[in-house]
Amino acid sequence: MKSRVRRPRRWLPAGLALIGALLAGGCTQRDDAHTLTFWTIGREGEAVGKLLPAFEREHPGLTVKVEQMPLTAAHQKLLTAFAGDTTPDVSQLGNTWLAELAAVGALEPLQPRVDRSQVVRQDDYFQSIWATNVVDGTLVGVPWYVDTRLLFYRRDLLHQAGFDAPPRDWAQWRRMLAALSHPQRKTYGILLPTNEFEQLLSLALQQPEPLLRDGGRYGNFESAGFRRALAFYVDTFRLRQAPAITNVEAGNPWDEFGRGVYAFYFSGPWNIGEFRKRLPTAEQDDWATAPLPGPDGPGAGLAGGSSLVIFRRSAHKQEAWELIEYLSRPQVQQRFYELLGDMPPRRASWEGDALRNDPKARAFREQLERVRPAPAVPEWERIVNEMQLVAAQAVAGQLSIDQAAAEIDRRADDILAKRRWVLDRAREAAP
């Protein structure tokens, strides 16, 4: 997805005039006792609208009003709505933003409802996906769909190079990348756009040390594990097994993957549909998906996706919870996948034919048992963006691995300064 068309980031600021116009529509709905307001982001809103008639038939007299937030306005709209007391009843929320909304007290705790629910079975969810919804020990959301990154690979090219299976650890992966990289012919083992953090973050999450330390007060990027991940990442460029380009400089990823410019492609589940649509029928057996290799065996991946939350100020919390329960039913999640390709967070939902019998989806099912959440602090997206900016300097040869790790820690510590101040004041005030 990079110019390579990339799935747009969900949470970017936008003009206040647009936000004001959007919020004006939301204000009138809060006062309607028979209307439940549901905010979604982008294309999810289009698909969920096809699922709601059945819910409304089960709840006569209740109407669900879906409002699609523009991708470029979502974050500012949510914060402005909270400040102006115009939040919806239910909203889709990217799991990296749960911590920020929880920190300002915007979200309703959901564990008591889960404990009483006959539908939302916590033990049926992928454990680390569920964990992304727990902020400071409080459950504030229910996973709606999941997103993780793994390897799309050219099975035919690996076979030609003498490999019968995808890599299971970093040593195997390095050997494959070396065999498949021919820079003089402008073909490479993998595409890793230097302005995307998900790839390095996935490698970093495979390490034993946490990315933040002391309760999220400080960065932990000088740990041995992160430096190991950063070194593997940077060496891939140094050995010319990936071109040192951004996603803007990269070409059409589907076409170049099909032409063999890249043998591996590090991406997410939406590209199953894209490759099926964009590559010729004769080439569909040439590619496959594989879980991420780790340093010493099958590796962890990033626990991403989107969740459903109830706002504290909702006047219809019970109805909002019933909507979440409905959207959490395995058969509804299976239909959502068929409509959109967003993968379900419940194991039972993977028993539907569209997922169970799809060999391209099988690797995602395996990877989801080995995902890990990013640190649940409101400042995380700022930190991870700085991580990638510094990593790009290391790729360019401007910083050594140790220098880059120290610089990421310095920037992370600066970003976390206010968090440390707040936590220290709270500790002092505690009896």
Side-chain angles (χ1 to χ4, degrees), residues 4 64 158 238 276 341 364 402:
R4 184 158 148 138
V64 180
L158 262 66
R238 183 181 60 82
R276 282 177 166 152
F364 283 93
D402 288 346

Side-chain angles (χ1 to χ4, degrees), residues 84 128 147 169 225 277 411:
S128 290
D147 176 14
D169 58 38
K277 179 172 62 177
R411 297 190 187 192

Side-chain angles (χ1 to χ4, degrees), residues 375-390:
V377 298
E379 301 87 354
W380 178 247
E381 278 209 357
R382 292 173 59 200
I383 293 171
V384 80
N385 283 322
E386 292 299 319
M387 177 198 77
Q388 192 59 32
L389 289 172
V390 176

Side-chain angles (χ1 to χ4, degrees), residues 199-220:
Q199 293 90 336
L200 175 56
L201 178 58
S202 296
L203 299 178
L205 288 170
Q206 296 178 346
Q207 310 304 318
E209 301 95 333
L211 294 172
L212 301 180
R213 60 183 176 85
D214 295 349
R217 289 172 168 83
Y218 296 94
N220 197 34

Side-chain angles (χ1 to χ4, degrees), residues 96-155:
T96 59
W97 281 81
L98 289 164
E100 181 176 4
L101 272 294
V104 296
L107 305 180
E108 177 77 2
L110 297 180
Q111 190 64 55
R113 295 182 185 274
V114 170
D115 292 342
R116 296 191 299 269
S117 179
Q118 299 299 310
V119 177
V120 179
R121 292 179 46 225
Q122 183 173 337
D123 61 353
D124 190 40
Y125 286 76
F126 297 108
Q127 182 178 358
S128 290
I129 296 296
W130 186 270
T132 64
N133 288 260
V134 179
V135 179
D136 293 331
T138 300
L139 180 72
V140 294
V142 171
W144 190 19
Y145 65 83
V146 294
D147 176 14
T148 193
R149 308 299 170 95
L150 46 61
L151 295 180
F152 291 72
Y153 71 98
R154 284 288 301 271
R155 181 164 42 195

